[in-house]
Amino acid sequence: MISYYIKLAILSLWKTRYMSLLAIIVIAVGIAATMTTYTINYMMTKDPLPSKSDSLFLVRLNNWSPESAYKNRDVETSPIYLSVQDAVNLIRHDKAQAQIPIAGFKDMLKLPTQDAVDAKMTFVRSTTGDFFSSFEVPFLYGSSWSKSSDDSGEQVTVISKKLNDKLFDGQDSVGQTIELGEHQFTVAGVLDDWFILPRFYGESTRAFKAPRDVFVPFQTQLNLALWSPNLQAFECWKEAADSSVAALWASECVWVFFWVELKGESQKSAYMDFLQSYVEQQKALGRFQRPILNELQSPSAYLKEREAYSSDSEIAVWLAICFLALCLLNAMSIIMTKFQGKAGEVALRRAVGASSVDLFQQYMIETGIIGLLGGVLGLLLTQICLFFSSQLYTHLSKSIMAMSSELMLITVVLSVLSSLVFGLLPIANAIRVQPATQLKSL
Amino acid sequence: MRDLLPILKSLKSNYGASLLFIFQVAITFTILVNAIYLAIDKRQSIARPSGLDEQNVLYIATNLPVEEAAQAGQLEQDLNNLSALPGVEYASVSSGVPLSGWGRFIEIATKPDSKYDTFSGYYGGDLNLLKAFGAKLVAGTEFTPSAELTVRTDGHKDAIDIMITQSLAESLYSDQWEQVVGKTIYINNKPQRVVGVIDTLQAAWPTWVVVEHVVLAPVKEADSMVYYVIRTRFGQQDAVLDSALTYLTSLYGRKIDKYETFEQVKMNAYSAENAASNTLFGVIGGLLIVTALGIFGQSRYSIIKRTKLIGIRRAMGASKGQIIRYFVLENAVLCAIGIVIGIIAAIILSNAFSSAFELGTLPPSYMFFGSICTILLGQIAVLYPAFKASQLSPAIATRTV
């Protein structure tokens, strides 16, 4: 029976093709608007690393002036970053499963064979080898640098696929050398395509920008005194002893984000205990003169506190949902018009014995097909809209504008379901026709 | 107006379709006014004056590639040479650039013991910085040459004399903001004397709540990285940029970190707002098209349904104009009912938005203009179906439908 209804439905769709097309287009436009805004909003607010969302934490210690609270807030909070000495101490104690300082500098990058004028100013991320394993960073060639490189601060580097394509034509460049300023770094690994969204581990204002192209060990940055004062925010409550970089490393200025990976509650509470004893020990040395406010903050809590998300995309989703409702109402009135013309057909089929349930099924199938076609067309339109959005939203990364396959499936299901719901009234109207009244006029 | 009564009566007999139509209009209206309000709100924040001579200001971020002790001297030399370039009005050094995201923020208090009254952006530079930005004084005087200092970093800790923006002055002294001239205010708990009030100058972060709050101090920072701010004569920006870069790179070890004209800075600063408002205008456009199509379809439907009635009316002597008038009026009545519901819905939605997203609520003028737009849209969409209806021949009435 179903296949017969599908055949009838297709025939009927063809008979009223302009009306049907109009309904399909209107549904498609509504679906496209909703899914475009929803995709953007979803990609911007999703959990960046679902497998690690309850095991990664930002370490916050209350290292601030004895005279006033950090930022002078009434409710005292800890700075979001650590001083170099605390980061180094925490790494040395090695109490967490993974320890990931996030710092950086910028320098002129070139190949040893290139001329100095070809060097490009490049942002460099300094961290530890744990960065790649904890944040599940994929490698194309080679691997992360070794633990010993972290400890001694060797001049090794991991570069992005993009940079590898540019400098080495995409060849396996492991073992090759690049120059950062006056220093040479040996390539230990090349990343595969990797774009974490939102990028939670650094400054919240850059949460939707691409990760950096060059990674070097944190200890190497410290050893070589590589420092770019205008690259990142750093906050000091106490002047460094002098203006040298070494003095900055030894100062109380905070600017190093410090993430740790801790599996399970027991590791987490053990690490909290460790932080407590660490800060107490530092207090005994005359540091940390404020109340102890140690904190292990999750990526989502950090992004939320730093207001990384703009509410614009959420507003847009709500507007688009209203817009979809409007489109469906429009489709409903078009379908009603369509079925109005069927009064004769309905009467005839009822008169020759079809039950109203049969007719209901048949028309639901017809409406469902309209919804399906609308959904598929809407999906195509969504891709076009996302393409244009990626041109328009130049401040965001291009990969925000990508739809996952689940979202695509949801889109089509949403379209079919909503057209069925909105088709109920027109169908009910159509099959209520009294056979006798219509048959007279046939 | 004679048609009004029959229209209202026929609504009752046809309430399903009429209700649908009214809903469509109400939703259109609700989205329309809210989307326009949001889009214009974005446009307004982009259009706020920065206080700068926007077309003629550029900045170059570069290093001072000499030993630390010689950096202050190198800075001085760079400034002199940049000022002497043809086409340059003023060249200065600054600790930040408005709207670029690079700057410093400080806490402001009027009393030494209070924590802070408000926040402000901070720019430190030489005596020319105010003029290099192209900002204007509205009260007080400019800095005296003796107030100028040179430090390595964190100039706000060393400043003695400062200027503040009128907006900051108003937040401290409300209407008597002019009194602030000559007073001492506390910046990060350090006393500093206000000598002048700047008309407008924006801080480094465009979305900051207090982006209009700025403190300007005559303290040059000769750090390893400096921002040169250059104001050029009109139309000479490209030439000046070329000659400035040529001069700067002539020194061995010089790295040019970044350079942008202020127009580029502003474009980057507001790319999110621009994109959002463009998207909203796109939504509004799509909305109008879909609604017009919907009304068109609805009107066609209701007219086809009433073919016989129209024929009868024509046969009874109704003119073509009267037929058109009937449908146009019917459309207007339905739109009006839809708008009334839409106004209520729009107020509810706007209140929900403003409490959820900290936006302002819809001003009544939007309701007024939104209503006019919606009515017009309805009338345009109904014109063709109504015209087609008027073309029906009276002979239709004689056929059975």
Side-chain angles (χ1 to χ4, degrees):
Chain A
M1 234 20 199
I2 296 289
S3 64
Y4 174 62
Y5 288 152
I6 292 176
K7 204 174 122 193
L8 278 184
I10 291 170
L11 271 176
S12 148
L13 282 175
W14 185 248
K15 229 169 78 186
T16 55
R17 52 189 173 276
Y18 295 115
M19 277 294 198
S20 307
L21 190 67
L22 197 60
I24 290 168
I25 290 174
V26 167
I27 291 176
V29 168
I31 290 281
T34 311
M35 290 320 291
T36 306
T37 49
Y38 180 78
T39 304
I40 295 174
N41 189 49
Y42 171 81
M43 295 303 287
M44 285 177 81
T45 55
K46 75 183 172 70
D47 187 345
L49 259 181
S51 56
K52 294 289 179 71
S53 53
D54 47 8
S55 59
L56 283 173
F57 300 97
L58 178 68
V59 177
R60 297 176 64 169
L61 305 176
N62 194 14
N63 174 17
W64 206 248
S65 155
E67 276 110 49
S68 63
Y70 177 59
K71 303 257 192 228
N72 270 335
R73 296 287 185 275
D74 293 329
V75 180
E76 191 168 347
T77 56
S78 310
I80 51 173
Y81 11 60
L82 306 184
S83 64
V84 170
Q85 40 175 332
D86 289 323
V88 168
N89 287 342
L90 292 188
I91 293 172
R92 195 173 301 137
H93 281 94
D94 196 16
K95 296 284 186 195
Q97 183 137 358
Q99 308 174 102
I100 309 146
I102 297 290
F105 58 95
K106 49 184 177 177
D107 219 326
M108 302 301 278
L109 168 79
K110 69 180 193 66
L111 289 175
T113 51
Q114 276 177 316
D115 221 20
V117 291
D118 294 328
K120 288 269 183 315
M121 184 62 86
T122 305
F123 296 102
V124 182
R125 166 70 64 222
S126 77
T127 183
T128 56
D130 288 345
F131 177 92
F132 306 100
S133 51
S134 283
F135 295 165
E136 298 177 348
V137 187
F139 275 87
L140 184 64
Y141 303 119
S143 63
S144 153
W145 55 74
S146 65
K147 184 88 173 66
S148 61
S149 305
D150 273 328
D151 294 341
S152 56
E154 286 168 23
Q155 284 167 235
V156 287
T157 180
V158 164
I159 60 175
S160 70
K161 187 176 179 212
K162 198 176 93 194
L163 186 65
N164 190 55
D165 287 345
K166 207 163 80 188
L167 292 180
F168 300 104
D169 287 332
Q171 302 293 309
D172 183 351
S173 58
V174 173
Q176 304 269 17
T177 304
I178 59 168
E179 269 183 21
L180 280 171
E182 300 141 21
H183 307 286
Q184 300 211 328
F185 287 78
T186 309
V187 177
V190 177
L191 299 185
D192 206 345
D193 286 323
W194 179 59
F195 208 124
I196 190 161
L197 271 179
R199 196 156 61 80
F200 61 92
Y201 57 74
E203 285 105 358
S204 56
T205 47
R206 299 186 47 85
F208 302 102
K209 302 269 166 72
R212 305 225 159 125
D213 289 323
V214 185
F215 297 81
V216 302
F218 179 57
Q219 190 60 46
T220 312
Q221 177 183 16
L222 299 185
N223 290 356
L224 299 177
L226 299 168
W227 171 245
S228 312
N230 65 341
L231 176 64
Q232 62 194 95
F234 69 103
E235 298 176 66
C236 306
W237 57 270
K238 188 175 165 191
E239 288 300 301
D242 57 65
S243 56
S244 69
V245 177
L248 178 71
W249 289 175
S251 73
E252 297 292 345
C253 293
V254 291
W255 58 280
V256 181
F257 290 97
F258 198 87
W259 291 85
V260 287
E261 187 176 352
L262 301 164
K263 291 247 164 71
E265 277 307 311
S266 59
Q267 275 198 17
K268 194 179 169 191
S269 63
Y271 200 77
M272 280 303 275
D273 292 344
F274 156 68
L275 288 179
Q276 181 76 19
S277 67
Y278 170 73
V279 173
E280 274 164 6
Q281 178 200 335
Q282 294 295 315
K283 268 181 181 288
L285 297 172
R287 299 180 66 227
F288 286 94
Q289 293 174 43
R290 297 204 64 77
I292 298 179
L293 288 174
N294 301 334
E295 197 183 338
L296 290 173
Q297 195 171 30
S298 70
S300 57
Y302 166 71
L303 287 171
K304 205 166 165 214
E305 185 193 316
R306 304 294 297 169
E307 294 176 351
Y309 309 124
S310 149
S311 58
D312 285 353
S313 61
E314 209 178 320
I315 295 177
V317 173
W318 284 108
L319 277 179
I321 289 175
C322 293
F323 183 58
L324 175 64
L326 178 79
C327 289
L328 288 170
L329 278 179
N330 273 313
M332 186 166 152
S333 72
I334 293 168
I335 293 173
M336 215 184 241
T337 315
K338 220 167 94 78
F339 284 161
Q340 192 66 32
K342 284 189 197 237
E345 183 198 320
V346 172
L348 191 60
R349 292 214 37 219
R350 293 277 276 125
V352 297
S355 74
S356 54
V357 176
D358 293 333
L359 283 170
F360 182 74
Q361 281 181 352
Q362 182 196 331
Y363 292 144
M364 281 302 259
I365 287 172
E366 189 172 338
T367 319
I369 291 175
I370 291 180
L372 184 69
L373 292 175
V376 172
L377 185 64
L379 211 54
L380 279 174
L381 275 181
T382 308
Q383 301 304 326
I384 296 170
C385 287
L386 283 174
F387 173 76
F388 280 109
S389 302
S390 71
Q391 307 295 307
L392 197 62
Y393 285 74
T394 46
H395 62 296
L396 300 177
S397 83
K398 297 276 178 267
S399 67
I400 287 185
M401 315 298 174
M403 245 180 140
S404 64
S405 45
E406 293 103 65
L407 266 180
M408 292 192 185
L409 191 69
I410 291 171
T411 309
V412 177
V413 172
L414 175 80
S415 169
V416 173
L417 282 183
S418 51
S419 9
L420 287 181
V421 170
F422 278 78
L424 282 177
L425 181 69
I427 293 172
N429 259 342
I431 60 180
R432 239 196 355 241
V433 170
Q434 291 298 316
T437 58
Q438 291 295 319
L439 286 175
K440 279 191 295 189
S441 62
L442 273 180
Chain B
M1 285 297 126
R2 273 184 305 138
D3 293 335
L4 206 55
L5 210 59
I7 288 173
L8 291 177
K9 276 184 180 161
S10 76
L11 285 188
K12 261 201 319 205
S13 64
N14 192 22
Y15 70 88
S18 310
L19 213 59
L20 199 59
F21 185 92
I22 289 169
F23 257 139
Q24 270 169 268
V25 173
I27 294 184
T28 304
F29 180 85
T30 307
I31 310 177
L32 192 69
V33 287
N34 275 292
I36 291 179
Y37 176 67
L38 291 173
I40 288 179
D41 190 54
K42 299 276 169 216
R43 287 264 151 237
Q44 273 166 350
S45 70
I46 299 171
R48 283 178 309 199
S50 62
L52 268 67
D53 178 6
E54 297 188 357
Q55 283 140 32
N56 301 313
V57 175
L58 61 93
Y59 81 87
I60 301 173
T62 180
N63 62 342
L64 293 171
V66 289
E67 277 174 42
E68 219 178 286
Q71 279 179 338
Q74 182 63 46
L75 178 72
E76 216 47 52
Q77 195 187 336
D78 281 350
L79 285 175
N80 284 335
N81 287 326
L82 288 172
S83 304
L85 291 174
V88 173
E89 289 264 21
Y90 298 98
S92 179
V93 63
S94 174
S95 64
V97 176
L99 303 180
S100 71
W102 183 247
R104 195 172 299 154
F105 92 91
I106 48 180
E107 289 158 359
I108 310 278
T110 48
K111 296 187 185 66
D113 47 350
S114 62
K115 269 184 175 174
Y116 59 90
D117 295 323
T118 184
F119 299 101
S120 167
Y122 168 88
Y123 302 120
D126 62 4
L127 294 174
N128 274 337
L129 185 55
L130 183 79
K131 288 183 184 129
F133 278 152
K136 287 172 195 66
L137 274 186
V138 283
T141 56
E142 298 204 4
F143 296 123
T144 53
S146 63
E148 195 183 58
L149 299 169
T150 305
V151 298
R152 185 154 187 279
T153 53
D154 288 343
H156 62 280
K157 292 178 179 158
D158 300 277
I160 301 160
D161 286 354
I162 54 169
M163 292 179 191
I164 66 175
T165 54
Q166 187 180 334
S167 159
L168 175 56
E170 280 168 353
S171 88
L172 297 175
Y173 293 95
S174 55
D175 283 347
Q176 288 90 45
W177 60 269
E178 277 168 307
Q179 287 184 356
V180 79
V181 177
K183 281 220 167 82
T184 296
I185 63 171
Y186 295 82
I187 292 184
N188 293 3
N189 300 328
K190 285 203 65 182
Q192 293 172 2
R193 197 170 64 97
V194 179
V195 299
V197 178
I198 303 164
D199 182 21
T200 315
L201 188 59
Q202 289 185 323
W205 311 278
T207 53
W208 203 26
V209 209
V210 287
V211 65
E212 315 282 341
H213 287 189
V214 167
V215 168
L216 195 72
V219 184
K220 290 181 282 191
E221 294 176 20
D223 203 356
S224 46
M225 195 60 79
V226 293
Y227 282 73
Y228 290 126
V229 174
I230 300 172
R231 184 170 160 210
T232 63
R233 297 209 174 85
F234 184 74
Q236 302 202 27
Q237 214 167 32
D238 294 344
V240 168
L241 185 60
D242 278 348
S243 54
L245 290 177
T246 312
Y247 157 68
L248 287 172
T249 47
S250 66
L251 189 65
Y252 176 76
R254 178 83 74 176
K255 292 188 244 178
I256 301 294
D257 194 39
K258 201 173 181 185
Y259 55 85
E260 275 178 315
T261 65
F262 187 71
E263 282 173 334
Q264 286 166 334
V265 171
K266 199 164 179 182
M267 208 163 80
N268 290 337
Y270 289 116
S271 62
E273 277 72 15
N274 249 322
S277 77
N278 285 339
T279 312
L280 284 167
F281 282 121
V283 167
I284 294 165
L287 181 73
L288 294 180
I289 292 171
V290 167
T291 307
L293 278 178
I295 293 177
F296 176 81
Q298 277 270 329
S299 314
R300 285 285 287 162
Y301 166 62
S302 70
I303 286 163
I304 289 168
K305 246 179 63 175
R306 283 180 280 184
T307 304
K308 192 175 170 187
L309 285 172
I310 296 163
I312 294 172
R313 279 202 69 195
R314 291 280 284 128
M316 309 252 307
S319 70
K320 289 181 178 179
Q322 278 172 327
I323 299 290
I324 293 181
R325 204 177 62 198
Y326 179 90
F327 285 108
V328 165
L329 190 63
E330 184 188 62
N331 177 279
V333 168
L334 289 176
C335 280
I337 300 173
I339 286 167
V340 172
I341 299 174
I343 287 176
I344 298 167
I347 291 171
I348 294 171
L349 188 69
S350 150
N351 280 335
F353 273 177
S354 65
S355 58
F357 304 111
E358 291 161 16
L359 290 165
T361 42
L362 277 178
S365 62
Y366 279 76
M367 302 295 178
F368 177 70
F369 291 113
S371 310
I372 291 178
C373 283
T374 314
I375 294 262
L376 269 179
L377 182 73
Q379 296 289 292
I380 290 167
V382 82
L383 266 184
Y384 178 73
F387 172 75
K388 287 290 273 188
S390 71
Q391 299 301 307
L392 286 174
S393 132
I396 290 267
T398 61
R399 292 180 211 153
T400 28
V401 179

